[in-house]
Amino acid sequence: MQIGASALAVGAAAKVTLLEPTTLLAEATQAAGGDTIRFASIGTGVRGCNLLEASLRVPGVECVGVCDLWDGRLTAGQQTLGKQVHTTRNYKEILDRKDVDAVIVAVTDNQHRRVVVDACAAGKDVYCEKPLSHTVDDGFAMVEAAQKNKRVMQVGSQRVSSILYAKAREIYESGKLGNVSCIQAYWDRNSASGAWVYPIAPGVNDQNIDWKEFQHGSPSVPFDPVRFFRWRCFTDYGEGLGGDLFVHLISGIMFITGTNEVASRAQSTGGLFRWKDGRQFPDLIQTFYDYPNFRVDMRCNLNNDGGEFIGFYGDKGTMIIKGSTLTYSPQNTLPEPEGYSIEGWPADLRKQYLAEWEREHPLPAPYASKLTEEVETYVLPPGYNDTVEHEANFFNAVRTRKPTVENEVFGNNAAIGCHLANYSYFNKRPAMWDAAGKKITG
Ligand SMILES: NC(=O)c1ccc[n+]([C@@H]2O[C@H](COP(=O)([O-])OP(=O)(O)OC[C@H]3O[C@@H](n4cnc5c(N)ncnc54)[C@H](O)[C@@H]3O)[C@@H](O)[C@H]2O)c1
C-alpha cells in the first residue's frame, strides 16, 4: 500500500510506503497441510514465553513440552500456551521423546552449547536464541553438531526475518547507495529495565529453582537470585551488551550487506558509569569493526534513550533504519562547478572558469544541482511481529529441509563479533580475528 507523497512529505520529495507483511506465514499455512510439527521449548523465561506466544500464530506447529529450572517458569510457559503440557526441569527428558521434531532453546547464553549439542545429537532441529555462543569455542562446537547431525538450525536474531530488513537489503543490493564504506549502528536505552535491573520474583529459593543446573559449567556460588534473574550482568552466564544487543545490530548489518564472515579487527572503549550494582560489564561500549568492504562504528549506551539505529552511508545515498522506519535519501551526485575554492580568485578568472565549466557541462543545466531521486520511507504495519516471521521461517525449513535465513554459521559469525568487542574492551587492545585458527588474538 502506498501513501501519496503529499500525505507524508519528507523534505522536498518523499514517498512513504507502508510495507506489506510477507508471504512467509501464508507459505507456512500452505506447507503445513495436515502435517503438524511437534516441538518443545527448553527455557521458558521472558524470551521463551515470547517465542511460545509467537508460535501460536504459526500454522501447523504444536508445543508439546516445556522445560525450565524454575517451577514458576514451567507454569508461565503453560499459561502462555493456554494448556497443560509435559513439564520438566531436565531437558534430556524432552530430547528422549521420539514424538518431538524440534526444540526451541531459550536458556541462558552459557547453556546454549550444552543443550544445542545434545539436541542435535538426539536428532532434533533447533531454534536457538541469539547470541548463538557464550564463547568462541562454544560456537564452533554447535556448528559442528548441527552439521554432523544434519540438523536444521535457526539462530534467533529475528530482525533478519523482518520485512523492513528485506527492504533494506533490496535497496543495498540495488546499488542506489553506491559504495558503502561506513556503517554506524547503536542501541541506547535509559531505564532500569533496559539496564537489566530485573525484579526478583517473590518466594524464589533453591527448592523451586534448580540452582545446581543453572550453574552447570560455571564456578559454583551460593544460591543467588540476583544472578538467576540478572544473569546478563555476569561474565559466567552472559556477554553484557555485546551478547544482548550488539548481536542484533551485527546480524542486521550482515544480513543487509550479504556479509557472512567475522570482522578482521575490533577496537572497543566504554565504561561502567551509572549502573554500579555489582555487574561485571560496562554500561557503555563502543566498538569499531573492520569488515572487508566497510567499517562499522557500533555502540550501546544504557545512559541515554537513543533507541535502535543502523545507518548505511554510501557515496550515492544514505539509508537509515530507526526503530520501525527505513529511510533512503539520495546524495546529490550531479556534477557541479566548484563554488568554494574559487572565492579566493580574481573576478575575471572566476567568470572564465564558470563559463568554461558551463560549456563543458551542457546537461544538466549548470547550477541545477537537483536531486533526480526521491527520499523513500518505509514503515512497518502496526502490530507487525518479526519473531513470528522468524519462527515461521524455521518451521518451514524443518518441513522442507531448505536452509533457514539465519543458520548456525551465520549465527556463529555474528556472535563472534560480540566476543571480539568484549575481548577488546576487557584487554584494552584491538581484538584480531584469526579465521584459520578460529580464535581471537590481540
Ligand atoms: N531474540 C531476542 O530478541 C531475545 C530477547 C531476549 C532474550 N533473548 C535470548 O534468549 C535467551 C533467554 O533469555 P531470557 O531473557 O528469556 O532469560 P530468562 O532469565 O528470562 O530465562 C532464561 C531461562 O533459562 C532457564 N535455563 C537455564 N539453563 C537451563 C537448562 N539447562 N535447562 C532448562 N532451562 C534452563 C532458566 O531457568 C531461565 O528461566 C538468552 O539467550 C537471551 O540472550 C533473545
Side-chain angles (χ1 to χ4, degrees), residues 141-204:
M142 287 181 270
V143 169
E144 192 190 322
Q147 293 180 345
K148 190 172 105 194
N149 294 289
K150 300 192 169 38
R151 294 298 92 209
V152 166
M153 195 157 166
Q154 176 89 301
V155 181
S157 303
Q158 65 276 8
R159 278 161 188 71
V160 304
S161 286
S162 163
I163 48 177
L164 200 68
Y165 281 58
K167 177 54 75 179
R169 185 175 171 139
E170 184 188 310
I171 292 173
Y172 188 92
E173 284 176 349
S174 75
K176 280 161 72 164
L177 296 174
N179 290 316
V180 178
S181 49
C182 171
I183 298 175
Q184 191 192 18
Y186 60 76
W187 196 334
D188 296 345
R189 311 195 289 206
N190 192 9
S191 67
S193 177
W196 319 309
V197 188
Y198 299 151
I200 311 302
V204 290

Side-chain angles (χ1 to χ4, degrees), residues 45-46 68 70-73 108 193 195-205 208-209 211 214 223-234 237:
V46 181
D68 200 279
W70 174 32
D71 297 347
R73 284 188 164 145
T108 43
S193 177
W196 319 309
V197 188
Y198 299 151
I200 311 302
V204 290
N205 54 46
N208 52 38
I209 290 177
W211 181 241
F214 180 80
F223 177 69
D224 181 357
V226 170
R227 283 181 168 249
F228 184 79
F229 285 97
R230 302 177 189 166
W231 55 265
R232 286 168 173 79
C233 301
F234 298 92
Y237 323 111

